Amino acid sequence: MKTIFLSGSTIGKTTLLGMNKLIKKYQEIHPNHQTTFINLAELNVEFSDGRNYLDYEGETAFVANEMMNADIIFIGSPTFQASIPATLKNIFDLLPQKAFAQKTVGILMTAGSDKHYLVAETQLKPILSYMKANIVPTYVFINNTDIIGQEITNDDVLFRIDNLIEDTVALAETSQLIQAKIEEDYGF
């Protein structure tokens, strides 16, 4: 399976730390899956201007094409002003409305306070649903207090990362089996 890990911010370290832990664990469990890490902090992505995603060039085209060709997408997002960052929303705006059809999406959210626990539910999941993603119902939430230095120290967070990987792959595999059966039985 082609798996994309998207770190959806150009600043901060907490989301990047969580995504790196997620990728490392994922690659240990699924070494045969093709994985790509997209860190928006390292790329120069244009702002969406309404063009078809195929009309963009350079790093913008790279990100759009990788997202469109993925089977599984893990999205890591910090919480800014009780919402997702504009850089992440821009990625969604670059893509067509049904971009995530037949793709399974897992979420890792970070924030400086437990008050922002539901940002994934109120801000991110509605966008992903609109774009037809097969969304893993549970997600990982990392509060700044779960990290000391450059290590996630909360065992519950590490457990949730393991569960997110397991749930995401199981949902993706099941969805692919169902889609193959539909195509076999009904020809579409």
Side-chain angles (χ1 to χ4, degrees):
M1 275 196 213
K2 182 176 173 82
T3 305
I4 301 299
F5 297 84
L6 175 66
S7 186
S9 179
T10 57
I11 62 170
K13 295 179 183 176
T14 307
T15 302
L16 188 57
L17 180 69
M19 290 301 286
N20 284 333
K21 189 70 162 176
L22 178 66
I23 294 164
K24 182 180 177 188
K25 188 69 173 184
Y26 186 91
Q27 289 173 332
E28 288 173 8
I29 298 169
H30 301 286
N32 297 327
H33 288 196
Q34 178 187 349
T35 59
T36 302
F37 178 52
I38 299 173
N39 182 359
L40 295 182
E42 297 176 352
L43 302 174
N44 183 20
V45 177
E46 296 176 59
F47 280 105
S48 172
D49 60 15
R51 282 183 276 170
N52 185 302
Y53 79 95
L54 296 170
D55 295 335
Y56 288 93
E57 298 177 355
E59 293 176 332
T60 306
F62 166 76
V63 173
N65 287 317
E66 288 295 305
M67 297 291 283
M68 291 296 293
N69 293 317
D71 299 305
I72 295 173
I73 301 169
F74 287 98
I75 296 173
S77 176
T79 303
F80 294 154
Q81 302 292 358
S83 189
I84 62 172
T87 51
L88 179 56
K89 178 62 168 73
N90 183 56
I91 299 302
F92 302 143
D93 291 342
L94 290 167
L95 302 172
Q97 189 253 324
K98 295 181 181 179
F100 296 147
Q102 299 179 21
K103 296 177 190 342
T104 301
V105 179
I107 300 170
L108 182 145
M109 293 293 299
T110 62
S113 165
D114 286 337
K115 290 188 253 180
H116 298 298
Y117 177 77
L118 293 175
V119 168
E121 297 289 344
T122 62
Q123 301 293 311
L124 187 51
K125 284 186 177 183
I127 296 168
L128 297 172
S129 179
Y130 176 77
M131 297 179 78
K132 309 302 182 208
N134 187 17
I135 305 166
V136 178
T138 57
Y139 53 92
V140 174
F141 178 81
I142 303 173
N143 189 328
N144 288 348
T145 59
D146 297 324
I147 298 170
I148 296 176
Q150 291 298 307
E151 289 294 322
I152 298 171
T153 56
N154 184 331
D155 288 338
D156 187 49
V157 170
L158 298 172
F159 177 74
R160 284 184 272 139
I161 287 173
D162 291 346
N163 284 345
L164 180 64
I165 293 167
E166 182 180 327
D167 293 349
T168 304
V169 172
L171 189 57
E173 289 173 345
T174 303
S175 295
Q176 286 181 344
L177 290 172
I178 292 169
Q179 186 61 36
K181 183 67 174 158
I182 290 170
E183 290 172 8
E184 177 186 313
D185 290 352
Y186 301 103
F188 57 85

